[in-house]
Amino acid sequence: MPRTGHLRAMSSLAVAAAVFASGCFGATRHMMAPPSPVVAGIAPGDIADVAAEADSLQLVDPATLFRVAEQIRTEHRPTVPPPKRTVLALSGGGAYGAFSAGVLVGWTASGSRPQFDTVTGISTGAIIAPLAFLGPAYDPQLRDIYTQVKQDELYVVRKSLRTLFSDALADNTPLVRKLETTITPALLAAVAAEHAKGRRLYVGTTELDGRRQIVWDLGAIASRGTPADLALFRSAVLASAAIPGFFPPVHIPVNIDGSVYDERHVDGGVTASLFFRPPWIAPERRADPSFSSLHGTDLYMIVAGKLYSDPEPVKPRALAIAAAGVSTLLYSGCRGDLMRLYTACVLTGMNYHLVAIPAEVPITIASTDFDPVAMRKLFDVGLKTIAATPCWRSTPPGLERGEGVSLRAGTQLTRTGTDAVPIKAAERHAGPLLYHPAAERATPATPGSIEK
């Protein structure tokens, strides 16, 4: 290095040292600080500001709102009940889709799995969706994909420095080949046949430049009768699972008013964790409330993951902190989508059924780690979860034990959990309380929150 360059570098180091020195007190304070509650082994859901939360009980608590919402949901039913229908919504989650596959296979084994009128899927849920739509006969394929397939059968990480300037860190050509063996002309014909009966299959992608969700009607695509149908069907599923930056975008040509344009589509999970589409109704019956009403429709949602991320210490490094923030945002987004679907159920009278990986289940892999051993464990968790009584919950996120928002008026906190600090009865809200972290654990009211 020339001497001028060396001096310039030394100047930069000096500036950096000065900046570090100016924040030396803060850095020293950080290094000498006591551990965080998580590092000390205290669960975040077991920490309460008793005074602040006791005061909140005088207001309208979530359980009261839930009770009112349930009353609204069950009222205003049509005079003539509409036909019973079911909708299945499958979330994204990568390798955690093994749990969703296990739920479906276990559901079949229970003898109570319905034929879904509508199936929607996002990301890994989009891969599962066609097989779930076609029914239990395709369970062996579900089991194989999510318990036997190895990572190198789905993608290969690029190790060249040029990867930093490419459109993806990994090559998903193996996944393309896997979809070709899964989404066959026979499967396409089967989907078209069910579409003709009035059943519907949808997957969601994100149009990269427009940054909006696109919902693809796969049954309509399968029914067009053109040579391009199979390729477009596969492209929509592949795009729904194309993690931005990790997998390359899927190019889909579109014709707009006679001109051809190229759209790039990526993971549907960027714009929605899961989504709802209503069952199809024949045009001549749509004006008849006895057919068009959604009242009594069962909406089943399978989340390929947990509702809340596991607490874990975050290293004091920029990338680690950013990664933790993005992860937390994704979990929060999923809960927001589930709450919106609950609102739709309240307004339409649909029945809300939700299942996710139980909070106590350890997850040892990242969502992009397709390790057959770990995925078989998640698949088995799905089998056991759906076989348990109860298994489906009817409450949106935020109402079950440990899910409430932590209210604080200061920093004097109390550890609850098994050593819960009771709140005097006079401090309680008059209505029943589903769960409150600082409330007495002996009498949590559960207004039908969990069901089989």
Side-chain angles (χ1 to χ4, degrees):
M1 177 185 292
R3 183 172 178 81
T4 53
H6 179 71
L7 291 174
R8 191 177 298 113
M10 291 296 290
S11 278
S12 298
L13 287 173
V15 171
V19 171
F20 176 80
S22 66
C24 186
F25 177 75
T28 302
R29 182 179 178 182
H30 168 74
M31 294 174 63
M32 297 177 62
S36 74
V38 170
V39 172
I42 302 175
D46 289 344
I47 303 172
D49 181 334
V50 177
E53 296 188 4
D55 181 66
S56 74
L57 294 179
Q58 307 301 320
L59 308 175
V60 178
D61 62 87
T64 301
L65 293 176
F66 175 75
R67 187 174 61 254
V68 172
E70 287 298 288
Q71 183 178 353
I72 294 172
R73 187 178 66 83
T74 55
E75 291 177 347
H76 308 299
R77 65 186 64 191
T79 305
V80 179
K84 188 69 172 179
R85 288 165 292 191
T86 59
V87 176
L88 174 67
L90 298 159
S91 85
Y96 304 158
F99 171 79
S100 303
V103 167
L104 286 165
V105 173
W107 202 351
T108 298
S110 73
S112 60
R113 175 175 163 181
Q115 182 184 71
F116 307 109
D117 294 282
T118 300
V119 175
T120 71
I122 285 285
S123 197
T124 196
I127 296 174
I128 297 172
L131 305 177
F133 177 75
L134 294 176
Y138 289 78
D139 283 359
Q141 290 191 46
L142 270 179
R143 184 187 292 269
D144 176 72
I145 293 173
Y146 286 95
T147 64
Q148 302 297 327
V149 174
K150 298 178 181 179
Q151 186 161 296
D152 58 6
E153 297 178 73
L154 300 176
Y155 68 86
V156 178
V157 176
R158 297 167 175 166
K159 298 181 179 179
S160 169
L161 287 176
R162 288 179 295 180
T163 300
L164 298 176
F165 303 98
S166 68
D167 60 358
L169 297 175
D171 177 5
N172 64 345
T173 301
L175 175 58
V176 173
R177 291 196 292 263
K178 185 64 180 177
L179 289 179
E180 289 173 351
T181 61
T182 302
I183 303 173
T184 61
L187 183 142
L188 192 77
V191 170
E194 295 304 312
H195 183 84
K197 298 176 185 177
R199 299 177 63 220
R200 292 295 181 263
L201 170 63
Y202 304 97
V203 299
T205 66
T206 300
E207 199 270 295
L208 187 59
D209 293 327
R211 306 184 189 189
R212 292 190 177 187
Q213 181 187 26
I214 303 295
V215 173
W216 298 88
D217 186 338
L218 294 188
I221 292 171
S223 304
R224 295 185 308 170
T226 72
D229 297 346
L230 184 60
L232 180 57
F233 192 111
R234 290 170 175 168
S235 292
V237 174
L238 179 66
S240 186
I243 306 169
F246 192 75
F247 290 155
V250 176
H251 293 255
I252 300 179
V254 296
N255 188 309
I256 303 176
D257 298 328
S259 299
V260 177
Y261 299 88
D262 178 69
E263 287 186 343
R264 293 176 297 167
H265 289 257
V266 296
D267 199 323
V270 173
T271 44
S273 299
L274 71 173
F275 67 99
F276 164 80
R277 294 292 295 173
W280 183 80
I281 300 172
E284 64 273 13
R285 291 181 169 179
R286 292 174 186 174
D288 184 350
S290 64
F291 283 93
S292 61
S293 173
L294 289 172
H295 198 284
T297 294
D298 286 313
L299 172 58
Y300 292 98
M301 295 151 288
I302 304 178
V303 176
K306 298 184 179 183
L307 298 182
Y308 293 81
S309 57
D310 291 329
E312 60 178 334
V314 178
K315 294 181 180 179
R317 300 289 184 271
L319 290 179
I321 293 172
V326 170
S327 175
T328 303
L329 185 63
L330 291 174
Y331 278 92
S332 176
C334 179
R335 295 194 298 272
D337 290 334
L338 291 170
M339 180 58 77
R340 280 188 285 274
L341 292 179
Y342 177 72
T343 302
C345 289
V346 169
L347 297 176
T348 60
M350 292 189 294
N351 301 316
Y352 186 90
H353 310 280
L354 168 64
V355 69
I357 297 178
E360 67 273 11
V361 172
I363 297 180
T364 59
I365 56 172
S367 61
T368 53
D369 295 336
F370 289 82
D371 172 33
V373 174
M375 291 172 67
R376 278 194 290 271
K377 292 180 180 178
L378 284 176
F379 183 89
D380 290 341
V381 169
L383 290 176
K384 294 176 182 177
T385 299
I386 199 67
T389 303
C391 59
W392 299 97
R393 60 182 279 177
S394 60
T395 56
L399 270 79
E400 300 298 334
R401 188 179 297 279
E403 295 180 354
V405 175
S406 180
L407 299 172
R408 295 187 182 178
T411 58
Q412 297 302 311
L413 310 177
T414 300
R415 184 174 182 177
T416 60
T418 55
D419 300 322
V421 176
I423 293 178
K424 297 178 182 179
E427 296 175 329
R428 287 183 182 273
H429 185 273
L433 180 68
L434 176 64
Y435 171 70
H436 198 283
E440 294 174 354
R441 300 299 175 97
T443 56
T446 52
S449 60
I450 305 290
E451 60 194 43
K452 175 63 177 172

